[in-house]
Amino acid sequence: MNNKWYIEKGDQGDVVLSTRIRLARNLKDFLFPARLDAKGRQTVNETVRDALMEDNTYEFGYLEMKTLTRSQAVSLAERHLISPEFASSVDGRALMLTKDESVSIMLCEEDHIRLQVMKAGLALQEAYAIADEIDTALDKRLAYAFDERIGYLTQCPTNLGTAMRASVMLHLPALTRIGHINRLASTVSKLGMTIRGAYGEGSSPKGDLYQLSNQITLGITETSALHNLQQIAIQLVNQEREAAKLMLKNPENNDKIWRALGVLQTARLLSGDEFMELISLVRVGAANNILNFGLEQLNELIVNMQAATINAREGKNLTAAERDAVRATAVREALKAEG
Amino acid sequence: MVCQNCERSEATTHIKRVVNGDTAETHLCADCAAHLGYGDFFSGFGLNLGELFGGILENGLPEAKSAKALRCSKCGCSFEDIVRDGKLGCAQCYTTFYDKLLPSLQRIHGRIEHNGKVSKIAEKSTKKKSHLEKLREDLNAAIEEQNFEQAAKLRDEIKGMEG
């Protein structure tokens, strides 16, 4: 098995699935992507590619997005390697990706360069160190759009300054069930951060998976922003653990976990929504030593059972019903005879 | 339910966004949904910060229309374009519309002074600036000393750097 970052279990791995750092950069001599013509985009993509190839620290593949099928593109978004927006419109866009998929660079997304580093678990400092290193290497070879007063210049002013978005993906099933997410959301927004569903929008995101990220980028150093995010993430981790302990004392909730496992181990058809709801329960069971599954295995299953990722692996566009059958079979196989 | 955009056709696309616990619902007919970029699942997936930012600019600056005449010399954007799209056209726009943007930056970020990593390009421009200052001082000194040959040389060098 090839070890992708997203199936490992990292620090605080019972609650924190992954950490992501994203830096936005633009080249000063080109119009921002929305106003840049096809030829200009191509030039930007190749200029950045060549600059990266000169620096040998990391080995990147270069992929023009228009060469991918729609399922392949959306699957990259489901694995959080690119943004959904990047997958939805592929013209003039290119992706650079390391073999282990831990570093990806979206070219001509909203900004010329969107450099992204992913790590398993809570690893903000480690992920930033890598992003910083690659950014510094690129800075040496490219002419960045930068202003001493307002920092890195971005197409949308909400990203000005450090142009850094740091986020952690959290599994918060217990806090969701006791209805604490809205209260937490308004608290973190006062601290310059935001929390939202990681898969799908809505008041109850699929799989109880959330992204916590910094919102403010101007006037705050990278170090402070990361420090603040780390503090809040740790608090959420502790609150979730407490809430989960309480939740699991109730025999009814304990029963729900076993029933969820039962359905996943036997179902012949599994929709994406039902799968996410049940796997969330199984995951909280595994994280609290009720069920005997590795969290890495469950994390991998969550990523692999998304619709476009299934299509991409099957190499064709399945109907929803066909996909539900494929999903059920794969989940039965993955979860059999354990637990 | 009628479409909130055209207020004519039946709304068939329902968009619900929840950010930090606040729910916003939009109901659109198929045509308006496609027109506004909700044509497929993924275009409606993320929150369009651009739109939001445009809203902030517009509400905050009702006098925005008076800036119509000014356009960015590099990309041709007017301040109205920026308000409408919530996006700037190029890096030069930040210089052109710097004063007009500041109140919105203050509202979005709470602060307006960058305090983080500095690009190499800024280090270079700081060096260039101090070099230019030094040349200008030398030029003044040369004129005072009536050393016109030296002054002409310095003037050409300054022109070259500023060009």
Side-chain angles (χ1 to χ4, degrees):
Chain A
M1 192 194 292
N2 48 353
N3 269 338
K4 307 283 196 228
W5 63 268
Y6 47 79
I7 59 168
E8 288 168 18
K9 175 175 170 265
D11 195 25
Q12 318 290 336
D14 54 334
V15 179
V16 186
L17 277 82
S18 61
T19 296
R20 178 177 72 192
I21 300 285
R22 199 183 266 176
L23 298 178
R25 298 290 185 257
N26 286 284
L27 307 186
K28 78 175 173 61
D29 297 324
F30 295 86
L31 304 189
F32 289 146
R35 296 207 163 239
L36 196 59
D37 60 20
K39 201 169 158 246
R41 286 174 173 221
Q42 177 96 12
T43 312
V44 166
N45 295 346
E46 289 172 3
T47 305
V48 179
R49 177 195 67 191
D50 295 347
L52 265 177
M53 298 296 188
E54 276 175 40
D55 179 76
N56 293 323
T57 324
Y58 296 89
E59 202 180 315
F60 286 95
Y62 178 82
L63 199 66
E64 284 189 27
M65 290 301 289
K66 65 180 180 205
T67 63
L68 299 181
T69 64
R70 173 136 179 94
S71 293
Q72 285 171 329
V74 177
S75 169
L76 289 168
E78 287 174 348
R79 286 179 277 156
H80 295 271
L81 300 174
I82 62 173
S83 61
E85 205 275 320
F86 197 68
S88 71
S89 158
V90 295
D91 273 347
R93 291 175 161 178
L95 173 70
M96 300 200 64
L97 194 60
T98 55
K99 273 218 176 79
D100 67 352
E101 300 184 352
S102 67
V103 185
S104 61
I105 301 176
M106 290 179 270
L107 298 173
C108 285
E109 202 237 27
E110 188 179 291
D111 295 293
H112 293 143
I113 301 171
R114 283 280 175 100
L115 164 63
Q116 178 177 293
V117 177
M118 310 277 303
K119 283 264 174 200
L122 184 61
L124 287 161
Q125 308 299 337
E126 295 90 327
Y128 178 70
I130 297 169
D132 185 40
E133 183 191 1
I134 298 170
D135 174 54
T136 304
L138 281 176
D139 192 16
K140 272 187 201 151
R141 294 169 173 84
L142 301 169
Y144 275 165
F146 182 88
D147 181 287
E148 283 153 74
R149 299 164 296 183
I150 49 175
Y152 292 95
L153 302 179
T154 49
Q155 182 162 270
C156 182
T158 49
N159 299 318
L160 277 179
T162 59
M164 179 190 78
R165 293 258 176 245
S167 55
V168 286
M169 198 198 288
L170 303 162
H171 185 222
L172 305 175
L175 290 176
T176 304
R177 274 166 187 75
I178 58 175
H180 272 198
I181 297 296
N182 280 355
R183 195 172 54 79
L184 282 172
S186 81
T187 311
V188 302
S189 82
K190 288 187 191 113
L191 299 167
M193 284 167 229
T194 175
I195 187 164
R196 62 162 75 175
Y199 285 96
E201 304 261 323
S203 53
S204 182
K206 292 178 192 173
D208 308 312
L209 292 166
Y210 298 85
Q211 292 274 7
L212 172 74
S213 45
N214 67 314
Q215 193 70 359
I216 308 287
T217 52
L218 187 57
I220 183 166
T221 63
E222 289 84 353
T223 315
S224 303
L226 293 174
H227 177 79
N228 294 348
L229 196 62
Q230 171 95 12
Q231 297 299 314
I232 299 298
I234 293 278
Q235 285 186 35
L236 288 180
V237 166
N238 289 332
Q239 286 192 23
E240 170 63 26
R241 283 180 189 150
E242 290 298 314
K245 249 187 234 161
L246 276 177
M247 178 179 119
L248 296 172
K249 274 187 187 156
N250 183 339
E252 263 181 40
N253 290 326
N254 204 306
D255 177 65
K256 273 185 193 152
I257 287 170
W258 286 99
R259 282 170 180 270
L261 179 63
V263 172
L264 292 178
Q265 284 178 327
T266 52
R268 262 49 187 171
L269 289 175
L270 267 181
S271 73
D273 283 358
E274 186 182 14
F275 165 73
M276 289 298 275
E277 190 189 323
L278 298 176
I279 198 75
S280 176
L281 285 164
V282 168
R283 197 181 185 284
V284 75
N288 290 279
N289 301 318
I290 293 170
L291 302 179
N292 185 26
F293 289 107
L295 290 172
E296 305 89 331
Q297 185 196 355
L298 301 179
N299 294 351
E300 181 184 17
L301 202 56
I302 291 171
V303 170
N304 286 341
M305 291 302 111
Q306 301 301 314
T309 301
I310 292 176
N311 279 348
R313 202 178 38 245
E314 297 285 315
K316 57 185 170 187
N317 281 330
L318 304 172
T319 64
E322 287 169 341
R323 200 165 51 232
D324 290 353
V326 171
R327 184 182 288 115
T329 307
V331 170
R332 282 203 315 274
E333 183 62 29
L335 299 182
K336 74 175 178 193
E338 292 178 68
Chain B
M1 186 179 299
V2 248
C3 170
Q4 289 174 348
N5 193 50
C6 64
E7 297 182 342
R8 281 196 305 269
S9 314
E10 178 71 13
T12 52
T13 302
H14 307 278
I15 299 133
K16 190 172 174 184
R17 286 167 168 167
V18 181
V19 173
N20 289 335
D22 295 329
T23 310
E25 288 191 44
T26 317
H27 308 281
L28 301 168
C29 68
D31 285 352
C32 290
H35 180 68
L36 295 171
Y38 294 108
D40 65 17
F41 180 60
F42 271 99
S43 12
F45 206 76
L47 176 73
N48 187 346
L49 281 174
E51 261 174 41
L52 264 188
F53 175 70
I56 287 173
L57 270 175
E58 204 148 40
N59 294 338
L61 292 172
E63 76 277 25
K65 284 195 172 68
S66 65
K68 196 158 41 175
L70 187 59
R71 284 186 177 275
C72 172
S73 62
K74 187 164 179 185
C75 67
C77 264
S78 68
F79 194 65
E80 271 193 323
D81 294 334
I82 295 173
V83 170
R84 192 190 56 231
D85 300 342
K87 288 173 184 162
L88 282 82
C90 68
Q92 177 74 37
C93 289
Y94 279 106
T95 312
T96 313
F97 303 109
Y98 182 69
D99 295 335
K100 294 184 195 311
L101 286 166
L102 277 186
S104 318
L105 298 186
Q106 176 80 47
R107 261 194 300 279
I108 298 168
H109 296 281
R111 274 166 278 189
I112 49 168
E113 286 281 326
H114 176 54
N115 179 19
K117 190 173 178 179
V118 173
S119 167
K120 203 163 161 266
I121 209 158
E123 289 168 14
K124 267 189 212 157
S125 82
T126 315
K127 268 186 205 154
K128 187 178 162 185
K129 256 188 218 157
S130 59
H131 186 54
L132 261 174
E133 270 168 33
K134 168 94 174 35
L135 287 176
R136 288 206 185 94
E137 277 171 24
D138 289 353
L139 175 64
N140 288 339
I143 293 169
E144 264 177 38
E145 286 164 19
Q146 304 204 335
N147 184 350
F148 296 115
E149 199 182 336
Q150 176 68 5
K153 250 194 222 164
L154 287 165
R155 189 199 57 207
D156 289 349
E157 197 177 335
I158 290 169
K159 262 193 184 166
M161 277 185 74
E162 285 176 336

